[in-house]
């Protein structure tokens, strides 16, 4: 069985490895096809493509788009996207704008809690200065000893409902799916278990995503606990979605699984890659 891992990050968003380092790691780990899916940018795909050719591994060009669906932030992964497609490039550019202003507001909330200077700290950690995000704040909070690890930074300060959470308007679900599909890509709902929606809202979300052209949902992902896999497997089948698998790898020591290391999809599912020819 081919080892597909269709969700991974690099330094072009909030990962710790460069696109080249990520691809080389995946090749060493025996991954056959890897998607680079940085948040709201396709910047790393060119470098990843060169590295993949050298390493003899298949690169699936991807992106993970931040979406506001009502008050809920969703992530939509685009696979086999065309980074030169105008609507995608322009749409991503628009959602990147505003990240720094949001980061300043996060820093203000942290300052009110007595933690000063976090904008500069997080900014220094972001390799791509357009892509400053909560992960960079989390790393900075660990660095200065405010929390013991990244998870604690989210649990105590940065997650929705916590004191330094700042709500933000991202792309609409409709736009995100359209930007992906217009260029010939496949829209995949990332880590649906992360949104913690009650069954009615969850079904509404899956229904909206499907109606707008979404084709697949992630079932096996580093952002689901293994005990969550069966429920999302059932929901994929019930709602007629293809299934995807990806580590959501951010870097050494920061992710539950390395690229390609998670369990394979259950036989009852149709993988999102079922009709891809190399
Ligand atoms: P942002 O796009 O700036 O809101 O950052 C979102 C990123 O923060 C996600 O892609 C994850 O990498 C990370 N993240 C979000 N929530 C959590 C959480 N509860 N625990 C750990 N990391 C998280
Ligand atoms: Mn991330
Ligand atoms: Mn995500
Ligand atoms: Mn991700």
């Amino acid at each position: 069985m081919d080892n597909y891992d269709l969700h991974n990050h690099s330094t072009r968003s909030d990962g710790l490895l460069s696109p080249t380092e990520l691809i080389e790691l995946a090749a060493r780990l025996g991954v056959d096809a890897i998607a680079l899916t940085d948040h709201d940018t396709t910047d790393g795909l060119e470098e990843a493509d060169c590295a993949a050719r050298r390493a003899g591994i298949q690169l699936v060009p991807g992106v993970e788009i931040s979406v506001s669906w009502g008050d809920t932030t969703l992530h939509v992964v685009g696979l086999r996207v065309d980074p030169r497609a105008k609507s995608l490039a322009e749409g991503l550019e628009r959602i990147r704008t505003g990240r720094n202003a949001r980061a300043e507001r996060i820093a203000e909330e942290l300052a009110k809690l007595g933690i000063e200077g976090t904008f500069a700290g997080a900014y220094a950690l972001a390799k791509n200065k357009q892509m400053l995000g909560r992960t960079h704040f989390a790393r900075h909070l660990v660095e200065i000893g405010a929390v013991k690890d990244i998870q604690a930074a989210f649990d105590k300060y940065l997650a929705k409902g916590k004191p330094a959470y700042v709500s933000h308007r991202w792309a609409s679900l409709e736009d995100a799916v359209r930007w992906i599909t217009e260029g010939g890509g496949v829209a995949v709902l990332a880590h649906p278990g992360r949104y913690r929606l009650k069954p009615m809202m969850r079904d509404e979300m899956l229904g909206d995503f499907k109606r707008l052209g979404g084709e697949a949902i992630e079932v096996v992902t580093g952002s689901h606990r293994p005990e969550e896999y069966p429920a999302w497997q059932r929901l994929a089948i019930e709602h007629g979605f293809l299934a995807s698998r990806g580590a959501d790898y951010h870097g050494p020591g920061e992710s539950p699984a390395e690229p390609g290391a998670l369990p394979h999809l259950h036989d009852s599912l149709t993988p999102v890659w079922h009709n891809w020819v190399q």
Side-chain angles (χ1 to χ4, degrees):
M1 189 186 305
D2 280 348
N3 190 344
Y4 278 79
D5 193 308
L6 299 179
H7 187 152
N8 294 280
H9 295 275
S10 78
T11 44
R12 302 304 169 98
S13 63
D14 60 356
L16 290 171
L17 303 183
S18 69
T20 301
E21 289 166 334
L22 173 74
I23 299 299
E24 288 176 353
L25 172 67
R28 273 202 305 281
L29 293 171
V31 175
D32 296 296
I34 183 162
L36 177 63
T37 55
D38 273 316
H39 297 287
D40 306 326
T41 181
T42 55
D43 259 15
L45 294 178
E46 212 176 293
E47 182 185 321
D49 187 50
C50 294
R53 285 167 200 276
R54 276 197 308 271
I57 176 175
Q58 191 191 338
L59 174 75
V60 178
V63 64
E64 181 175 19
I65 305 183
S66 311
V67 163
S68 294
W69 183 75
D71 292 337
T72 306
T73 299
L74 306 177
H75 285 173
V76 175
V77 162
L79 297 175
R80 308 182 105 194
V81 295
D82 177 3
R84 287 156 314 189
K86 197 156 174 261
S87 64
L88 178 66
E90 288 179 356
L92 294 180
E93 172 76 37
R94 238 177 299 132
I95 41 177
R96 282 195 299 269
T97 320
R99 266 192 180 265
N100 281 359
R102 167 195 185 234
E104 276 170 23
R105 290 182 55 208
I106 294 175
E108 278 165 25
E109 295 305 321
L110 287 167
K112 284 186 205 157
L113 301 166
I115 312 174
E116 305 280 347
T118 55
F119 183 87
Y123 192 80
L125 293 178
K127 288 253 167 30
N128 178 351
K129 304 301 183 191
Q130 282 195 320
M131 284 304 304
L132 187 50
R134 285 184 291 163
T135 308
H136 304 107
F137 279 90
R139 287 183 189 137
H140 176 67
L141 291 171
V142 175
E143 220 172 61
I144 62 173
V147 287
K148 70 171 189 329
D149 57 24
I150 303 265
Q151 194 55 56
F154 278 93
D155 293 348
K156 195 163 173 203
Y157 297 114
L158 300 168
K160 189 172 182 187
K162 304 300 171 181
Y165 178 80
V166 170
S167 68
H168 192 73
R169 224 45 229 166
W170 303 106
S172 71
L173 186 57
E174 183 174 0
D175 283 348
V177 172
R178 192 167 41 78
W179 298 337
I180 294 166
T181 54
E182 268 181 6
V186 182
V188 182
L189 186 67
H191 42 62
R194 268 266 284 273
Y195 313 127
R196 304 264 162 263
L197 297 173
K198 300 211 171 73
M200 252 171 67
M201 286 283 273
R202 177 201 67 201
D203 288 341
E204 195 179 323
M205 169 190 69
L206 293 174
D208 275 3
F209 182 59
K210 177 115 199 174
R211 183 173 52 76
L212 294 169
E215 284 185 57
I217 67 171
E218 289 182 347
V219 172
V220 172
T221 149
S223 292
H224 284 168
R225 284 172 286 114
E227 16 348 332
E228 293 178 280
Y229 300 162
W232 291 104
Q233 185 176 308
R234 182 176 54 75
L235 285 160
I237 293 167
E238 250 176 52
H239 288 260
F241 284 115
L242 303 172
S244 191
R245 167 181 185 261
D248 203 355
Y249 184 71
H250 283 74
E254 282 200 5
S255 298
E258 294 195 298
L262 288 175
H264 285 277
L265 293 174
H266 191 266
D267 279 347
S268 60
L269 293 164
T270 308
V272 64
W273 60 85
H274 76 109
N275 58 356
W276 295 358
V277 276
Q278 296 250 339

